[in-house]
């Protein structure tokens, strides 16, 4: 830097004639040595202030340089951390797939089918083959899949893992009312999947379906959560299905539905019939339900549920008004099973149930889930309306018979 000495400038007014006035003088003083280099022009407290400012500026500049250098290195090593123009989500889900795909196995089944030829009166046999998927739950060799994969009792079942190893599983148990089955294999070095919580899912969350559609192993499709809490009574009794538009095809049954970081949120189970105009409607069993069913099968070989011996149905708004119900609570009892707990408690067909264990009941699904959440021997307080009068009673839950299918 070059020091400038005090400079005196004389400025004459312009735009008007010179009337002999005394020229106006403006004195401008410039000290280029503003950072204190040389120190000849800075004295006392003013010099100390400038020196402090200089130190602060140097510190800030150094911090900026270091920060930029660190940011450059991070982006160089992990470019996937950079935000994308499409939003906050990752540009690729390859990490999620790499984290979870090895935990999804392929299932191949064979079944001997007997056929009769009416023309020749001869019996023939053929072998049906089918594909499905399963999810590794732990290193002990437990896998979960769909019950309907084994519903027709295949004569041969094989599990093929992502590394090519093959095993013949043992069926530990199943639960037809949630369409879940638990298998076990004797195989070392299995990679169990990491589980999330399906209750945390939000509509719009990205999900990936991983499975074995049409025998195409480790196929991945991507979509979003379209809805939660879907009831498909024509398929199962107890399952609050996750609806997704991720493609779920034949062979995906029992495969994994994972979130954007590769954690299990559901077991792929069903897809609406592919009629013309039907597209992107698939369903998965939520992992929170899977946990409970798997633990019960491990302990008992089956799922033990409470049973109240009643068949509920939803009320319409007009039926609620007719019974003096001002809110959206209430179900109607369509059938009481003879000799069951509800019959013993003197519940009757046509009774309106508005609460169970002081929990409001809004739909038949609520009633079935409350009933199924009990264990044999539990006492359930029931609040209802009969002939325009409120009443209370208690029902002692029994054990739900295996294979009972209540909803129609």
């Amino acid at each position: 830097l070059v020091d400038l000495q005090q400079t005196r400038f004389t400025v004459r007014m312009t735009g008007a004639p010179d009337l002999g006035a005394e020229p106006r003088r403006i004195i401008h003083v410039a000290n280029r040595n503003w950072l204190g280099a040389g120190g000849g022009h800075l004295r006392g407290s003013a010099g100390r202030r400038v020196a402090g400012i200089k130190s602060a500026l140097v510190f800030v500049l150094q911090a900026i340089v270091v920060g930029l250098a660190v940011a450059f290195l991070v982006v160089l090593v992990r470019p996937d951390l950079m935000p994308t123009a499409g939003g906050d989500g990752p540009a690729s889900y390859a990490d999620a797939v790499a984290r979870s795909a090895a935990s999804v196995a392929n299932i191949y089944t064979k079944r001997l089918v007997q056929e009769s030829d009416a023309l020749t009166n001869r019996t023939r046999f053929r072998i049906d083959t089918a594909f499905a998927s399963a999810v590794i739950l732990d290193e002990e060799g437990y896998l979960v899949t769909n019950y309907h994969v084994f519903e027709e009792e295949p004569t041969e079942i094989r599990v093929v893992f992502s590394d090519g190893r093959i095993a013949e599983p043992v069926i530990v148990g199943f639960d037809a009312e949630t369409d879940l089955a638990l298998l076990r294999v004797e195989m070392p070095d299995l990679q169990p999947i990491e589980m999330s919580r399906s209750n945390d899912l939000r509509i719009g969350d990205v999900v990936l379906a991983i499975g074995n559609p049409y025998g195409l192993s480790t196929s991945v499709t991507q979509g979003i959560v379209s809805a939660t809490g879907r009831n498909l009574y024509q398929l199962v009794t107890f399952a609050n299905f996750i609806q997704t538009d991720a493609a779920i095809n034949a062979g995906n049954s029992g495969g994994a539905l994972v979130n954007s970081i590769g954690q299990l949120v559901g077991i792929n189970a069903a897809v609406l019939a592919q009629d013309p105009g039907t597209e992107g409607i698939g369903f998965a069993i939520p992992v929170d339900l899977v946990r409970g069913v798997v633990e019960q099968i491990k302990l008992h070989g089956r799922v033990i549920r409470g049973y109240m011996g009643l068949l509920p149905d939803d009320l319409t708004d007009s039926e609620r008004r007719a019974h003096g119900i001002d809110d959206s609570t209430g179900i109607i009892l369509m059938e009481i099973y003879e000799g069951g707990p509800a019959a013993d408690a003197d519940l009757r067909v046509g009774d309106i149930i508005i609460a169970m264990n002081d929990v409001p009941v809004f739909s038949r699904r609520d009633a079935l889930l409350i009933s199924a959440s009990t264990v044999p021997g539990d006492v359930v307080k029931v609040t209802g309306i009969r002939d325009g009068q409120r009443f209370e009673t208690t029902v002692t839950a029994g054990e739900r018979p295996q294979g009972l299918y209540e909803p129609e």
Side-chain angles (χ1 to χ4, degrees):
L1 299 176
V2 179
D3 289 341
L4 296 180
Q5 303 300 322
Q6 281 193 350
T7 307
R8 188 182 304 268
F9 297 93
T10 300
V11 179
R12 190 177 294 272
M13 296 179 62
T14 60
D18 185 359
L19 301 178
E22 182 71 21
R24 298 177 61 185
R25 293 183 297 172
I26 298 176
I27 299 177
H28 172 70
V29 178
N31 290 314
R32 284 290 304 274
N33 199 357
W34 60 278
L35 289 179
H41 302 288
L42 299 176
R43 296 291 186 267
S45 60
R48 286 192 296 272
R49 285 197 299 271
V50 173
I53 294 173
K54 173 185 175 182
S55 299
L57 288 174
V58 170
F59 174 78
V60 171
L61 290 173
Q62 288 175 339
I64 292 173
V65 171
V66 171
L68 291 173
V70 171
F72 173 78
L73 291 175
V74 169
V75 173
L76 185 66
V77 176
R78 291 292 304 276
D80 57 295
L81 297 179
M82 286 290 291
T84 61
D88 296 331
S92 170
Y93 297 102
D95 289 342
V97 174
R99 186 177 186 180
S100 56
S103 301
V104 181
N106 304 327
I107 295 180
Y108 298 89
T109 65
K110 292 182 180 180
R111 184 170 64 94
L112 189 63
V113 179
Q114 180 178 334
E115 294 179 333
S116 297
D117 191 331
L119 295 177
T120 61
N121 198 27
R122 296 170 61 181
T123 300
R124 296 183 300 179
F125 294 90
R126 61 181 174 83
I127 295 177
D128 271 358
T129 60
F131 312 104
S133 308
V135 178
I136 302 170
L137 298 177
D138 54 40
E139 295 179 349
E140 297 177 8
Y142 285 103
L143 299 92
V144 67
T145 184
N146 289 140
Y147 160 71
H148 71 253
V149 173
F150 312 107
E151 189 172 10
E152 296 183 352
E153 300 180 357
T155 55
E156 182 179 344
I157 306 170
R158 290 191 177 184
V159 177
V160 180
F161 295 93
S162 61
D163 57 7
R165 292 182 294 173
I166 301 175
E168 294 187 8
V170 174
I171 299 178
V172 180
F174 57 82
D175 182 39
E177 294 188 298
T178 56
D179 194 26
L180 291 172
L182 186 66
L183 312 179
R184 191 173 188 182
V185 298
E186 296 292 336
M187 186 75 69
D189 302 323
L190 295 177
Q191 180 177 323
I193 199 162
E194 182 180 344
M195 294 191 184
S196 180
R197 299 199 63 85
S198 50
N199 280 346
D200 296 334
L201 280 179
R202 300 175 301 167
I203 296 174
D205 283 349
V206 171
V207 286
L208 309 172
I210 306 175
N212 183 32
Y214 301 104
L216 302 172
S217 60
T218 318
S219 292
V220 182
T221 57
Q222 180 258 334
I224 64 169
V225 174
S226 305
T228 58
R230 292 295 196 203
N231 299 308
L232 301 177
Y233 291 124
Q234 66 271 32
L235 296 180
V236 296
T237 310
F238 306 108
N240 302 320
F241 281 104
I242 302 165
Q243 181 183 329
T244 177
D245 65 348
I248 298 176
N249 297 296
N252 271 119
S253 293
L257 188 74
V258 302
N259 58 22
S260 60
I261 58 175
Q263 297 173 325
L264 185 70
V265 295
I267 298 296
N268 300 323
V271 63
L272 287 188
Q274 294 298 314
D275 298 325
T278 301
E279 183 178 350
I281 304 179
F283 300 94
I285 302 166
V287 70
D288 293 347
L289 177 63
V290 174
R291 279 193 185 93
V293 170
V294 166
E295 288 305 314
Q296 289 251 22
I297 294 176
K298 283 183 178 181
L299 290 173
H300 310 293
R302 68 186 196 280
V303 177
I304 298 177
R305 293 187 177 91
Y307 169 64
M308 296 180 62
L310 50 82
L311 178 61
D313 198 6
D314 295 330
L315 284 175
T316 64
D317 290 339
S318 59
E319 288 173 331
R320 288 190 179 93
R321 288 192 295 270
H323 288 91
I325 301 173
D326 297 328
D327 53 22
S328 57
T329 60
I331 58 170
I332 185 169
L333 298 185
M334 302 299 295
E335 188 171 346
I336 302 295
Y337 296 118
E338 185 178 353
D344 293 341
D346 196 32
L347 287 175
R348 305 172 190 175
V349 172
D351 283 349
I352 305 299
I353 306 302
I354 57 176
M356 300 172 71
N357 282 338
D358 295 322
V359 176
V361 176
F362 297 94
S363 66
R364 68 175 183 175
R365 167 179 167 266
D366 292 342
L368 289 172
L369 291 179
I370 291 173
S371 174
S373 67
T374 64
V375 297
D378 282 355
V379 176
V380 180
K381 177 184 174 182
V382 176
T383 305
I385 300 174
R386 180 188 298 161
D387 298 329
Q389 301 295 320
R390 291 208 173 198
F391 71 91
E392 289 186 357
T393 187
T394 57
V395 179
T396 302
E399 180 176 345
R400 184 177 177 84
Q402 293 295 306
L404 177 66
Y405 185 74
E406 289 181 342
E408 296 179 351

